[in-house]
Amino acid sequence: MNNMSEYEPNPKLQNLVKQPPKDNKKLIMILAGVIVFLILIIIILAMSGTKVVEKEVEKKQSLDEVTLELENFIDENKLDALDTYGMDDVVRVAINKICTGVSNCKEISGDEVSKYIEKVFDKEVTFSDINCEFNDGVLYKYDSVNNKFIYTGEHAHEGLQVQSIYRKVYSIKRKDDEIILILNKLYYDPIRSDYITTDPLGINQIYNANDYMHMTDNGEDIDLTKLSATYENNYDKLKNTGTRYKYTFVKEGVNYILKEYEVINSEE
C-alpha cells in the first residue's frame, strides 16, 4: 500500500512541472532599463529640437545717452574751434587740438594732423600754408619735405577764441542713420567785446560781461555759476537769439564721425 496521502504532492509529479529559469527576472529588469533609457534619449532629442534660440537684441541708446557721448566727443576733439575756423579750415582745427596744453607748439606733425582729420571727419585734405584769420600773412608754413607745419611767429596780435564758456542743447534727433545735434553757446573775448556773445567774434551780444565778473586766483573773470543760472532761467527767450551750431554725426561701430557742420544765424 502506498502510504502517501492522496492530498500530499507527489515529488515525482513536481519534478515533471518545468520551473521558470531564474535568469528571466534579470533579463526583464535589463530590458526595462534599456526601454527607460531609450525613452529618456527620445525626450532629450525632442526637447533639443524644439529649443527656442533667443536672439540677442542690441539695446538702442536713449537720446540723453547719445547727447552725453556727443558733447564729450566735441570736448575731447576741441570742436568748438569750428565756430572760429569753419569746416573749410579743419587743418587749423586739428592744430588747435594738437597744441592744446602744449607749450611752445611751434612745429606740428602733418601725420598727426592727418590722423585727427581722418578720425573726426573721415576725410583727407591736401596740405598747404595756413593764413592768419585776420588776413595778415602766413601763420603756419607747410614744409612738404618734412611734412610739418611751422609757426612763423610773425603775428603780435591775439588770436580768436576757440572755446565756448557755456553750452546748452537746443535739440537732438535721429534721422535715418544720422544724429543731428544743435547747440546754443556763449563766448567771451574781452579783447573784442565787453559783452558775452553767442559767437567767438563778439558780434551777437547777450549780456554785459561786467555784470558777471568776479575775482579768481588769476584775476577777474566771468562767474560761470551766476551766468549759467541767469541764462537757464531766460533760456526760452534767448535760445533763438544770435547764432546756434548744428552738427550732423554718423556712428561707425563705437566711434562717431562729424559728417556736416553748420552755423545757424536765423530762427527756425
Side-chain angles (χ1 to χ4, degrees):
M1 173 183 288
N2 190 350
N3 294 326
M4 185 178 295
S5 171
E6 63 177 307
Y7 299 106
E8 186 177 349
N10 191 328
K12 294 181 178 181
L13 293 175
Q14 284 184 322
N15 292 333
L16 293 175
V17 178
K18 189 175 182 181
Q19 298 294 328
K22 293 181 180 179
D23 291 339
N24 281 358
K25 291 183 178 179
K26 291 182 180 180
L27 182 60
I28 293 171
M29 292 178 64
I30 292 171
L31 289 174
V34 171
I35 292 171
V36 171
F37 177 76
L38 291 174
I39 292 173
L40 289 174
I41 293 296
I42 293 171
I43 292 173
I44 292 171
L45 291 175
M47 291 180 63
S48 64
T50 58
K51 184 178 180 180
V52 177
V53 178
E54 295 182 1
K55 185 177 181 181
E56 186 176 348
V57 179
E58 183 179 353
K59 180 183 176 183
K60 192 172 186 179
Q61 286 182 300
S62 69
L63 285 178
D64 287 338
E65 292 173 320
V66 173
T67 298
L68 182 59
E69 288 185 349
L70 292 180
E71 288 195 279
N72 288 336
F73 183 87
I74 290 169
D75 285 335
E76 290 172 3
N77 294 290
K78 306 300 179 186
L79 290 179
D80 274 350
L82 284 170
D83 306 346
T84 302
Y85 305 125
M87 283 288 275
D88 291 335
D89 200 355
V90 292
V91 172
R92 188 75 187 277
V93 175
I95 290 175
N96 173 75
K97 165 63 173 71
I98 294 167
C99 286
T100 299
V102 179
S103 60
N104 197 29
C105 193
K106 305 297 184 182
E107 293 187 5
I108 300 95
S109 165
D111 288 337
E112 291 301 313
V113 172
S114 295
K115 289 177 184 178
Y116 173 90
I117 294 173
E118 182 179 1
K119 178 176 76 78
V120 176
F121 305 104
D122 191 26
K123 65 179 183 179
E124 298 179 355
V125 295
T126 301
F127 293 154
S128 60
D129 293 346
I130 299 175
N131 290 322
C132 173
E133 57 269 23
F134 296 109
N135 297 318
D136 60 353
V138 175
L139 186 63
Y140 290 93
K141 186 173 182 60
Y142 177 59
D143 177 359
S144 60
V145 175
N146 297 301
N147 192 23
K148 289 182 179 181
F149 289 91
I150 301 172
Y151 180 66
T152 62
E154 299 172 357
H155 302 262
H157 58 74
E158 294 287 339
L160 292 170
Q161 287 292 325
V162 292
Q163 180 68 48
S164 62
I165 60 173
Y166 191 71
R167 184 169 63 210
K168 184 174 177 64
V169 176
Y170 178 90
S171 66
I172 183 170
K173 63 181 180 180
R174 287 189 178 95
K175 184 179 180 182
D176 299 327
D177 62 340
E178 298 177 344
I179 301 169
I180 300 171
L181 174 69
I182 299 178
L183 298 176
N184 288 98
K185 298 182 187 181
L186 296 179
Y187 280 91
Y188 175 57
D189 186 348
I191 295 175
R192 308 216 158 12
S193 175
D194 292 330
Y195 288 85
I196 296 167
T197 61
T198 64
D199 62 283
L201 298 175
I203 297 173
N204 298 290
Q205 301 174 357
I206 296 294
Y207 299 119
N208 190 319
N210 293 325
D211 296 333
Y212 294 90
M213 287 295 180
H214 72 152
M215 293 304 299
T216 69
D217 294 339
N218 298 318
E220 197 174 33
D221 202 355
I222 296 293
D223 185 342
L224 292 179
T225 301
K226 180 180 178 181
L227 173 65
S228 61
T230 304
Y231 186 71
E232 291 287 345
N233 290 336
N234 295 280
Y235 181 68
D236 287 341
K237 296 179 181 179
L238 297 172
K239 64 183 181 180
N240 291 316
T241 300
T243 51
R244 280 163 287 147
Y245 305 90
K246 180 180 178 181
Y247 303 81
T248 301
F249 293 93
V250 293
K251 195 169 187 179
E252 296 183 356
V254 296
N255 301 314
Y256 288 99
I257 299 295
L258 181 57
K259 183 178 177 181
E260 295 178 7
Y261 164 85
E262 178 185 355
V263 177
I264 302 173
N265 290 302
S266 59
E267 295 186 11
E268 288 189 342

